[in-house]
């Protein structure tokens, strides 16, 4: 006789505000990672909670040290958050190693009907590596993609996960990501050398190109994190995927344009709240 295991979480009922959980790593400069995600959640009035899977000593010029958190402690954080705060949407960022990813996968399968956005980050805007070992890429492919409502890699990350050639177009990369199990794939900045920015979305049936002007600032530290965090909130609020992808792109594009150019000497942080605060 097979017995269905009990869900490991208590799952409180609905709250008035949208609750989103980011599962990712600390960025000490707070432009990206869980700090960036929490700011993005707050910028649109959502309540953000976090499960820390790694810590980076990082600033706008790069990462100087990092460490992954013990999977058991990750599991305890997830339980603490989901049992009490609850979640209307979950975002997964950095994946440091396979045991960590599989621990998440084992737990996230219980999140029936809650949007899960997977942002398979492997490098910072300044070019430092963030995880991305071959074993963690395999765990992302085999474990995380099948749980993803939408996966949001940039082109380099999409190539790494799909193992397709350098010259594979975004259309093929996105279709392959869906073939691997994601419900949808959104490749950010699909043509990095073009004068216009284009996010390529494949919703499982149709392709959509989300285009906008390319900001020429160096304020893109945390752009990808902010994008996937906002996407999580909009999906949690029931916005359809194409609409959510447009809204997230527009907000982040503006956040790069009006970015925090006075912070740090490298790739400055995005600023989602620029213009809303009177200094
Ligand atoms: N120069 C730019 N001007 C306007 N929008 C941009 C620019 N660069 C990126 N974007 C937008 O920012 C969002 C995040 O994309 P990006 O490709 O920078 O993520 P990423 O490479 O994963 O970033 P990160 O390394 O910070 O995680 C997308 O909606 C993309 O279109
Ligand atoms: C911790 C962390 N996660 C994600 C990114 C991607 O921007 C970053 N720079 N740092």
């Amino acid at each position: 006789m097979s017995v269905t295991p009990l869900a490991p979480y208590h799952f409180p009922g609905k709250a008035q505000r949208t609750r989103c959980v980011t599962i990712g790593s600390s960025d000490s400069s707070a432009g990206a990672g869980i700090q960036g995600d929490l700011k993005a959640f707050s910028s649109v009035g959502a309540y953000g909670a976090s499960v820390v899977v790694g810590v980076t000593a990082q600033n706008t010029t790069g990462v100087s040290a990092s460490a992954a958190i013990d999977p058991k402690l990750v599991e305890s954080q997830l339980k603490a958050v989901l049992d009490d705060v609850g979640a209307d949407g979950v975002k997964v960022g950095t994946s440091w190693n396979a045991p960590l990813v599989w621990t998440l996968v084992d737990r996230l399968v219980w999140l029936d009907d809650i949007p899960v956005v997977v942002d398979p980050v492997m490098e910072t805007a300044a070019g430092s590596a963030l995880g991305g070992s071959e074993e963690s890429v395999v765990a992302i492919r085999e474990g995380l993609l099948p749980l993803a409502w939408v996966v949001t890699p940039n082109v380099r990350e999409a190539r790494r996960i799909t193992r397709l050639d350098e010259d594979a177009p975004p259309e093929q990369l996105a279709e392959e990501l869906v073939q691997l199990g994601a419900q949808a794939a959104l490749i950010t900045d699909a043509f990095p050398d073009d004068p216009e920015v284009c996010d390529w979305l494949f919703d499982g049936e149709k392709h959509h190109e989300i285009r906008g002007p390319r900001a020429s600032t160096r304020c893109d530290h945390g752009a990808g994190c902010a994008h996937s965090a906002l996407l999580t909130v909009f999906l949690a609020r029931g916005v359809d995927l194409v609409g959510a992808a447009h809204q997230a792109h527009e907000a982040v594009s503006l956040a790069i344009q009006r970015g925090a150019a006075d912070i740090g000497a490298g790739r400055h942080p995005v600023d989602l709240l620029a213009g809303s605060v009177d200094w």
Side-chain angles (χ1 to χ4, degrees):
M1 186 181 76
S2 76
V3 179
T4 309
L6 288 175
Y9 305 118
H10 157 71
F11 287 132
K14 281 268 165 216
Q16 243 174 327
R17 63 196 94 203
T18 314
R19 300 154 301 176
C20 289
V21 180
T22 171
I23 302 174
S25 302
S26 167
D27 163 10
S28 46
S29 69
I34 51 169
Q35 291 90 342
D37 290 344
L38 293 175
K39 290 181 205 179
F41 293 155
S42 300
S43 76
V44 287
Y47 184 84
S50 57
V51 170
V52 184
V53 300
V55 176
T56 66
Q58 182 176 173
N59 61 29
T60 64
T61 67
V63 173
S64 53
S66 63
I69 302 291
D70 183 331
K72 287 229 168 327
L73 185 52
V74 169
E75 214 172 342
S76 305
Q77 293 177 73
L78 253 180
K79 184 161 175 55
V81 170
L82 294 177
D83 271 352
D84 181 44
V85 176
D88 304 303
V90 170
K91 171 195 151 162
V92 185
T94 30
S95 304
W96 294 98
N97 56 55
L100 221 163
V101 177
W102 284 110
T103 299
L104 291 177
V105 172
D106 282 350
R107 297 286 138 174
L108 295 180
V109 287
W110 295 101
L111 298 183
D112 224 16
D113 262 357
I114 297 171
V116 175
V117 174
V118 174
D119 186 16
V121 199
M122 294 178 202
E123 64 180 19
T124 69
S128 302
L130 286 172
S133 64
E134 186 49 30
E135 47 133 39
S136 66
V137 173
V138 171
I140 292 172
R141 273 171 74 97
E142 295 175 5
L144 276 180
L145 287 191
L147 295 178
W149 281 36
V150 56
V151 58
T152 63
N154 60 28
V155 202
R156 293 175 300 285
E157 292 153 354
R159 282 199 197 111
R160 188 75 205 284
I161 296 168
T162 58
R163 300 177 180 148
L164 289 173
D165 294 346
E166 280 288 299
D167 52 2
E171 188 172 5
Q172 194 186 350
L173 291 168
E175 284 181 11
E176 181 64 15
L177 289 164
V178 168
Q179 190 66 35
L180 287 167
Q183 288 179 44
L186 200 175
I187 299 174
T188 60
D189 200 2
F191 306 104
D193 299 326
D194 279 11
E196 223 185 15
V197 180
C198 173
D199 292 346
W200 192 283
L201 172 63
F202 178 53
D203 64 14
E205 285 177 11
K206 277 177 64 182
H207 290 273
H208 309 263
E209 292 176 43
I210 298 157
R211 293 186 174 273
R214 182 177 295 280
S216 56
T217 70
R218 281 172 57 80
C219 307
D220 58 355
H221 177 87
C225 296
H227 176 266
S228 48
L230 291 178
L231 193 62
T232 307
V233 178
F234 300 143
L235 292 175
R237 288 182 175 154
V239 179
D240 67 283
L241 180 59
V242 179
H246 272 99
Q247 285 183 29
H249 168 74
E250 272 159 39
V252 175
S253 183
L254 199 62
I256 295 173
Q257 215 172 297
R258 298 172 165 181
D262 55 333
I263 303 298
R267 301 287 278 264
H268 316 289
V270 295
D271 191 351
L272 284 164
L273 295 174
S276 64
V277 181
D278 186 3
W279 303 109

Short mmCIF file of all heavy atoms in Angstrom, two decimals, residues 21-82:
data_model
loop_
_atom_site.label_atom_id
_atom_site.label_comp_id
_atom_site.label_asym_id
_atom_site.label_seq_id
_atom_site.Cartn_x
_atom_site.Cartn_y
_atom_site.Cartn_z
N VAL A 21 8.18 35.08 -1.16
CA VAL A 21 9.39 34.57 -0.50
C VAL A 21 10.50 34.48 -1.53
O VAL A 21 10.31 33.90 -2.61
CB VAL A 21 9.14 33.16 0.08
CG1 VAL A 21 10.40 32.65 0.77
CG2 VAL A 21 7.98 33.17 1.06
N THR A 22 11.64 35.07 -1.19
CA THR A 22 12.80 34.90 -2.05
C THR A 22 13.73 33.87 -1.41
O THR A 22 14.02 33.93 -0.21
CB THR A 22 13.55 36.22 -2.31
OG1 THR A 22 14.77 35.91 -2.98
CG2 THR A 22 13.87 37.00 -1.04
N ILE A 23 14.17 32.92 -2.23
CA ILE A 23 15.13 31.91 -1.78
C ILE A 23 16.41 32.22 -2.55
O ILE A 23 16.49 32.01 -3.76
CB ILE A 23 14.61 30.49 -2.13
CG1 ILE A 23 13.24 30.25 -1.47
CG2 ILE A 23 15.63 29.44 -1.72
CD1 ILE A 23 12.57 28.94 -1.86
N GLY A 24 17.37 32.81 -1.88
CA GLY A 24 18.56 33.27 -2.60
C GLY A 24 19.67 33.61 -1.62
O GLY A 24 19.68 33.18 -0.47
N SER A 25 20.61 34.40 -2.09
CA SER A 25 21.80 34.67 -1.29
C SER A 25 21.94 36.15 -0.95
O SER A 25 21.44 37.01 -1.67
CB SER A 25 23.05 34.21 -2.04
OG SER A 25 22.95 32.84 -2.32
N SER A 26 22.66 36.38 0.15
CA SER A 26 22.88 37.75 0.60
C SER A 26 23.93 38.43 -0.28
O SER A 26 24.98 37.84 -0.59
CB SER A 26 23.38 37.71 2.05
OG SER A 26 23.88 38.96 2.42
N ASP A 27 23.64 39.64 -0.70
CA ASP A 27 24.61 40.52 -1.39
C ASP A 27 24.92 41.63 -0.39
O ASP A 27 24.05 42.45 -0.10
CB ASP A 27 23.99 41.06 -2.68
CG ASP A 27 24.74 42.28 -3.23
OD1 ASP A 27 25.84 42.59 -2.74
OD2 ASP A 27 24.19 42.91 -4.16
N SER A 28 26.15 41.65 0.13
CA SER A 28 26.46 42.63 1.18
C SER A 28 26.27 44.07 0.72
O SER A 28 26.03 44.96 1.52
CB SER A 28 27.89 42.42 1.70
OG SER A 28 28.79 42.26 0.62
N SER A 29 26.34 44.32 -0.59
CA SER A 29 26.14 45.70 -1.06
C SER A 29 24.66 46.00 -1.27
O SER A 29 24.28 47.14 -1.54
CB SER A 29 26.92 45.95 -2.36
OG SER A 29 26.36 45.22 -3.43
N ALA A 30 23.83 44.95 -1.14
CA ALA A 30 22.36 45.09 -1.09
C ALA A 30 21.69 45.57 -2.37
O ALA A 30 20.53 45.95 -2.35
CB ALA A 30 21.95 45.97 0.10
N GLY A 31 22.41 45.50 -3.48
CA GLY A 31 21.77 45.88 -4.74
C GLY A 31 21.05 44.72 -5.40
O GLY A 31 20.08 44.88 -6.12
N ALA A 32 21.57 43.51 -5.15
CA ALA A 32 21.02 42.31 -5.78
C ALA A 32 20.70 41.29 -4.69
O ALA A 32 20.59 41.63 -3.51
CB ALA A 32 22.04 41.75 -6.77
N GLY A 33 20.56 40.02 -5.09
CA GLY A 33 20.34 38.95 -4.12
C GLY A 33 19.09 39.19 -3.28
O GLY A 33 18.19 39.92 -3.69
N ILE A 34 19.07 38.57 -2.09
CA ILE A 34 17.85 38.67 -1.28
C ILE A 34 17.54 40.11 -0.88
O ILE A 34 16.38 40.50 -0.83
CB ILE A 34 17.88 37.77 -0.02
CG1 ILE A 34 19.14 38.00 0.76
CG2 ILE A 34 17.68 36.33 -0.35
CD1 ILE A 34 19.10 37.37 2.12
N GLN A 35 18.60 40.92 -0.65
CA GLN A 35 18.32 42.31 -0.27
C GLN A 35 17.64 43.04 -1.43
O GLN A 35 16.68 43.77 -1.24
CB GLN A 35 19.60 43.03 0.13
CG GLN A 35 20.23 42.55 1.44
CD GLN A 35 21.24 41.42 1.25
OE1 GLN A 35 21.26 40.76 0.22
NE2 GLN A 35 22.07 41.22 2.25
N GLY A 36 18.15 42.83 -2.64
CA GLY A 36 17.54 43.45 -3.81
C GLY A 36 16.10 42.98 -3.99
O GLY A 36 15.20 43.77 -4.30
N ASP A 37 15.88 41.68 -3.79
CA ASP A 37 14.53 41.12 -3.95
C ASP A 37 13.56 41.73 -2.93
O ASP A 37 12.42 42.06 -3.27
CB ASP A 37 14.56 39.60 -3.75
CG ASP A 37 15.26 38.88 -4.89
OD1 ASP A 37 15.47 39.49 -5.95
OD2 ASP A 37 15.60 37.70 -4.70
N LEU A 38 14.03 41.85 -1.68
CA LEU A 38 13.13 42.40 -0.65
C LEU A 38 12.75 43.85 -0.97
O LEU A 38 11.61 44.26 -0.77
CB LEU A 38 13.79 42.30 0.74
CG LEU A 38 13.98 40.87 1.26
CD1 LEU A 38 14.74 40.86 2.59
CD2 LEU A 38 12.64 40.14 1.44
N LYS A 39 13.72 44.60 -1.51
CA LYS A 39 13.40 45.98 -1.91
C LYS A 39 12.40 45.97 -3.07
O LYS A 39 11.50 46.81 -3.13
CB LYS A 39 14.66 46.73 -2.33
CG LYS A 39 15.60 47.02 -1.18
CD LYS A 39 16.80 47.80 -1.72
CE LYS A 39 18.00 47.59 -0.83
NZ LYS A 39 19.18 48.30 -1.31
N ALA A 40 12.61 45.06 -4.01
CA ALA A 40 11.69 44.99 -5.16
C ALA A 40 10.27 44.64 -4.68
O ALA A 40 9.29 45.25 -5.12
CB ALA A 40 12.19 43.96 -6.17
N PHE A 41 10.16 43.68 -3.76
CA PHE A 41 8.84 43.32 -3.24
C PHE A 41 8.20 44.55 -2.60
O PHE A 41 7.03 44.87 -2.87
CB PHE A 41 8.96 42.21 -2.18
CG PHE A 41 9.43 40.86 -2.69
CD1 PHE A 41 10.06 39.95 -1.84
CD2 PHE A 41 9.23 40.47 -4.01
CE1 PHE A 41 10.47 38.71 -2.28
CE2 PHE A 41 9.64 39.21 -4.48
CZ PHE A 41 10.28 38.33 -3.60
N SER A 42 8.97 45.23 -1.75
CA SER A 42 8.42 46.41 -1.04
C SER A 42 8.03 47.51 -2.01
O SER A 42 7.07 48.24 -1.76
CB SER A 42 9.46 46.99 -0.08
OG SER A 42 9.81 46.04 0.86
N SER A 43 8.77 47.66 -3.11
CA SER A 43 8.51 48.76 -4.03
C SER A 43 7.12 48.67 -4.66
O SER A 43 6.59 49.66 -5.14
CB SER A 43 9.58 48.81 -5.14
OG SER A 43 9.35 47.79 -6.09
N VAL A 44 6.54 47.46 -4.64
CA VAL A 44 5.18 47.33 -5.18
C VAL A 44 4.20 46.87 -4.10
O VAL A 44 3.15 46.29 -4.39
CB VAL A 44 5.14 46.37 -6.41
CG1 VAL A 44 5.77 47.05 -7.63
CG2 VAL A 44 5.84 45.05 -6.12
N GLY A 45 4.58 47.12 -2.84
CA GLY A 45 3.64 46.91 -1.74
C GLY A 45 3.43 45.46 -1.32
O GLY A 45 2.47 45.16 -0.62
N ALA A 46 4.33 44.58 -1.72
CA ALA A 46 4.19 43.18 -1.28
C ALA A 46 5.00 42.98 0.00
O ALA A 46 5.97 43.70 0.25
CB ALA A 46 4.70 42.24 -2.37
N TYR A 47 4.61 42.00 0.80
CA TYR A 47 5.39 41.64 1.98
C TYR A 47 6.42 40.60 1.57
O TYR A 47 6.07 39.55 1.03
CB TYR A 47 4.49 41.07 3.10
CG TYR A 47 5.28 40.79 4.34
CD1 TYR A 47 5.53 41.81 5.26
CD2 TYR A 47 5.87 39.55 4.55
CE1 TYR A 47 6.32 41.58 6.38
CE2 TYR A 47 6.66 39.31 5.66
CZ TYR A 47 6.88 40.34 6.57
OH TYR A 47 7.67 40.12 7.67
N GLY A 48 7.69 40.88 1.82
CA GLY A 48 8.75 39.95 1.42
C GLY A 48 9.33 39.20 2.59
O GLY A 48 9.58 39.78 3.66
N ALA A 49 9.53 37.90 2.42
CA ALA A 49 10.26 37.09 3.40
C ALA A 49 11.41 36.42 2.65
O ALA A 49 11.39 36.37 1.42
CB ALA A 49 9.35 36.05 4.02
N SER A 50 12.41 35.92 3.40
CA SER A 50 13.56 35.37 2.70
C SER A 50 14.08 34.08 3.32
O SER A 50 13.99 33.88 4.53
CB SER A 50 14.69 36.41 2.69
OG SER A 50 15.01 36.78 4.01
N VAL A 51 14.61 33.23 2.47
CA VAL A 51 15.29 32.01 2.88
C VAL A 51 16.70 32.12 2.29
O VAL A 51 16.87 32.13 1.07
CB VAL A 51 14.55 30.78 2.32
CG1 VAL A 51 15.36 29.52 2.50
CG2 VAL A 51 13.17 30.66 2.98
N VAL A 52 17.68 32.24 3.18
CA VAL A 52 19.05 32.50 2.72
C VAL A 52 19.76 31.18 2.43
O VAL A 52 19.88 30.32 3.30
CB VAL A 52 19.84 33.29 3.81
CG1 VAL A 52 21.23 33.63 3.31
CG2 VAL A 52 19.10 34.55 4.19
N VAL A 53 20.22 31.01 1.19
CA VAL A 53 20.93 29.77 0.82
C VAL A 53 22.44 29.99 0.68
O VAL A 53 23.19 29.05 0.51
CB VAL A 53 20.36 29.16 -0.48
CG1 VAL A 53 18.90 28.82 -0.34
CG2 VAL A 53 20.58 30.09 -1.68
N GLY A 54 22.85 31.26 0.72
CA GLY A 54 24.28 31.54 0.60
C GLY A 54 24.57 32.97 1.02
O GLY A 54 23.65 33.79 1.15
N VAL A 55 25.84 33.23 1.25
CA VAL A 55 26.25 34.58 1.63
C VAL A 55 27.40 34.99 0.72
O VAL A 55 28.32 34.20 0.49
CB VAL A 55 26.72 34.62 3.11
CG1 VAL A 55 27.24 36.00 3.49
CG2 VAL A 55 25.59 34.21 4.04
N THR A 56 27.33 36.22 0.18
CA THR A 56 28.46 36.71 -0.61
C THR A 56 29.03 37.97 0.03
O THR A 56 28.28 38.80 0.55
CB THR A 56 28.06 37.06 -2.07
OG1 THR A 56 27.16 38.18 -2.07
CG2 THR A 56 27.41 35.89 -2.77
N ALA A 57 30.36 38.08 0.00
CA ALA A 57 31.02 39.35 0.32
C ALA A 57 31.11 40.03 -1.04
O ALA A 57 31.89 39.63 -1.90
CB ALA A 57 32.39 39.10 0.90
N GLN A 58 30.26 41.01 -1.27
CA GLN A 58 30.08 41.54 -2.62
C GLN A 58 29.89 43.04 -2.58
O GLN A 58 29.32 43.59 -1.63
CB GLN A 58 28.82 40.88 -3.21
CG GLN A 58 28.51 41.28 -4.63
CD GLN A 58 27.31 40.54 -5.24
OE1 GLN A 58 26.90 40.88 -6.33
NE2 GLN A 58 26.76 39.55 -4.58
N ASN A 59 30.36 43.70 -3.61
CA ASN A 59 30.01 45.11 -3.80
C ASN A 59 29.79 45.34 -5.29
O ASN A 59 29.65 44.38 -6.05
CB ASN A 59 31.06 46.05 -3.17
CG ASN A 59 32.43 45.86 -3.78
OD1 ASN A 59 32.57 45.49 -4.94
ND2 ASN A 59 33.46 46.12 -2.99
N THR A 60 29.77 46.60 -5.70
CA THR A 60 29.42 46.87 -7.10
C THR A 60 30.54 46.48 -8.06
O THR A 60 30.33 46.50 -9.28
CB THR A 60 29.08 48.36 -7.30
OG1 THR A 60 30.24 49.14 -7.02
CG2 THR A 60 27.94 48.80 -6.40
N THR A 61 31.72 46.12 -7.52
CA THR A 61 32.81 45.72 -8.40
C THR A 61 32.97 44.21 -8.51
O THR A 61 33.70 43.73 -9.38
CB THR A 61 34.16 46.34 -7.95
OG1 THR A 61 34.52 45.75 -6.69
CG2 THR A 61 34.09 47.84 -7.79
N GLY A 62 32.34 43.45 -7.63
CA GLY A 62 32.44 41.99 -7.73
C GLY A 62 32.26 41.29 -6.40
O GLY A 62 31.90 41.90 -5.39
N VAL A 63 32.53 39.98 -6.43
CA VAL A 63 32.38 39.12 -5.25
C VAL A 63 33.77 38.72 -4.79
O VAL A 63 34.57 38.22 -5.58
CB VAL A 63 31.57 37.85 -5.62
CG1 VAL A 63 31.53 36.86 -4.46
CG2 VAL A 63 30.15 38.22 -6.06
N SER A 64 34.10 38.93 -3.49
CA SER A 64 35.43 38.56 -3.02
C SER A 64 35.42 37.27 -2.20
O SER A 64 36.47 36.65 -2.01
CB SER A 64 36.03 39.70 -2.19
OG SER A 64 35.14 40.08 -1.17
N ALA A 65 34.27 36.86 -1.70
CA ALA A 65 34.18 35.59 -0.97
C ALA A 65 32.72 35.16 -0.94
O ALA A 65 31.82 36.00 -1.05
CB ALA A 65 34.70 35.76 0.46
N SER A 66 32.50 33.85 -0.81
CA SER A 66 31.12 33.38 -0.72
C SER A 66 31.07 32.03 -0.02
O SER A 66 32.08 31.32 0.04
CB SER A 66 30.51 33.24 -2.12
OG SER A 66 31.22 32.28 -2.87
N ALA A 67 29.91 31.70 0.52
CA ALA A 67 29.72 30.39 1.14
C ALA A 67 28.26 29.99 1.03
O ALA A 67 27.38 30.86 1.10
CB ALA A 67 30.14 30.43 2.61
N ALA A 68 28.04 28.71 0.83
CA ALA A 68 26.67 28.20 0.79
C ALA A 68 26.24 27.84 2.22
O ALA A 68 27.07 27.56 3.08
CB ALA A 68 26.62 26.96 -0.10
N ILE A 69 24.95 27.88 2.45
CA ILE A 69 24.39 27.54 3.77
C ILE A 69 24.06 26.04 3.79
O ILE A 69 23.69 25.46 2.76
CB ILE A 69 23.10 28.37 4.02
CG1 ILE A 69 23.40 29.88 3.94
CG2 ILE A 69 22.42 28.00 5.33
CD1 ILE A 69 24.24 30.44 5.06
N ASP A 70 24.20 25.44 4.98
CA ASP A 70 23.87 24.02 5.15
C ASP A 70 22.40 23.76 4.75
O ASP A 70 21.50 24.46 5.23
CB ASP A 70 24.09 23.70 6.65
CG ASP A 70 23.87 22.24 6.96
OD1 ASP A 70 23.06 21.59 6.27
OD2 ASP A 70 24.51 21.75 7.91
N PRO A 71 22.17 22.77 3.88
CA PRO A 71 20.79 22.50 3.44
C PRO A 71 19.80 22.32 4.59
O PRO A 71 18.63 22.69 4.47
CB PRO A 71 20.92 21.21 2.62
CG PRO A 71 22.33 21.21 2.14
CD PRO A 71 23.14 21.91 3.19
N LYS A 72 20.25 21.77 5.72
CA LYS A 72 19.34 21.58 6.86
C LYS A 72 18.84 22.92 7.39
O LYS A 72 17.67 23.06 7.77
CB LYS A 72 20.06 20.83 7.99
CG LYS A 72 20.29 19.37 7.74
CD LYS A 72 19.84 18.57 8.96
CE LYS A 72 19.75 17.07 8.72
NZ LYS A 72 19.36 16.63 7.40
N LEU A 73 19.73 23.91 7.41
CA LEU A 73 19.34 25.23 7.89
C LEU A 73 18.43 25.92 6.86
O LEU A 73 17.52 26.67 7.22
CB LEU A 73 20.59 26.07 8.17
CG LEU A 73 20.40 27.45 8.78
CD1 LEU A 73 19.53 27.40 10.04
CD2 LEU A 73 21.76 28.07 9.13
N VAL A 74 18.65 25.61 5.60
CA VAL A 74 17.78 26.15 4.54
C VAL A 74 16.37 25.59 4.72
O VAL A 74 15.36 26.30 4.68
CB VAL A 74 18.34 25.80 3.15
CG1 VAL A 74 17.34 26.10 2.04
CG2 VAL A 74 19.65 26.55 2.91
N GLU A 75 16.31 24.28 4.96
CA GLU A 75 15.03 23.61 5.17
C GLU A 75 14.29 24.21 6.37
O GLU A 75 13.08 24.46 6.30
CB GLU A 75 15.35 22.14 5.45
CG GLU A 75 14.33 21.19 4.92
CD GLU A 75 14.81 19.75 5.07
OE1 GLU A 75 16.03 19.49 5.26
OE2 GLU A 75 13.94 18.89 5.00
N SER A 76 15.02 24.49 7.44
CA SER A 76 14.38 25.07 8.64
C SER A 76 13.86 26.47 8.35
O SER A 76 12.78 26.86 8.83
CB SER A 76 15.37 25.15 9.81
OG SER A 76 15.92 23.91 10.06
N GLN A 77 14.61 27.25 7.56
CA GLN A 77 14.13 28.60 7.21
C GLN A 77 12.83 28.51 6.41
O GLN A 77 11.88 29.25 6.65
CB GLN A 77 15.17 29.34 6.38
CG GLN A 77 16.45 29.70 7.11
CD GLN A 77 17.42 30.37 6.12
OE1 GLN A 77 17.23 31.50 5.71
NE2 GLN A 77 18.45 29.65 5.74
N LEU A 78 12.83 27.59 5.44
CA LEU A 78 11.63 27.44 4.60
C LEU A 78 10.42 27.10 5.47
O LEU A 78 9.34 27.68 5.30
CB LEU A 78 11.84 26.29 3.62
CG LEU A 78 12.07 26.62 2.16
CD1 LEU A 78 12.26 25.34 1.37
CD2 LEU A 78 10.94 27.45 1.57
N LYS A 79 10.62 26.15 6.37
CA LYS A 79 9.50 25.74 7.22
C LYS A 79 9.03 26.89 8.10
O LYS A 79 7.83 27.15 8.21
CB LYS A 79 9.91 24.53 8.07
CG LYS A 79 8.76 24.00 8.91
CD LYS A 79 8.99 22.59 9.37
CE LYS A 79 7.88 22.13 10.32
NZ LYS A 79 6.53 22.27 9.74
N ALA A 80 9.99 27.61 8.67
CA ALA A 80 9.64 28.73 9.56
C ALA A 80 8.80 29.76 8.80
O ALA A 80 7.79 30.27 9.31
CB ALA A 80 10.91 29.38 10.11
N VAL A 81 9.18 30.04 7.57
CA VAL A 81 8.47 31.07 6.79
C VAL A 81 7.11 30.54 6.31
O VAL A 81 6.09 31.20 6.47
CB VAL A 81 9.33 31.50 5.58
CG1 VAL A 81 8.54 32.38 4.63
CG2 VAL A 81 10.57 32.25 6.06
N LEU A 82 7.11 29.35 5.73
CA LEU A 82 5.86 28.86 5.11
C LEU A 82 4.80 28.50 6.14
O LEU A 82 3.61 28.69 5.91
CB LEU A 82 6.15 27.67 4.20
CG LEU A 82 7.00 28.03 2.96
CD1 LEU A 82 7.31 26.78 2.15
CD2 LEU A 82 6.31 29.06 2.09
#
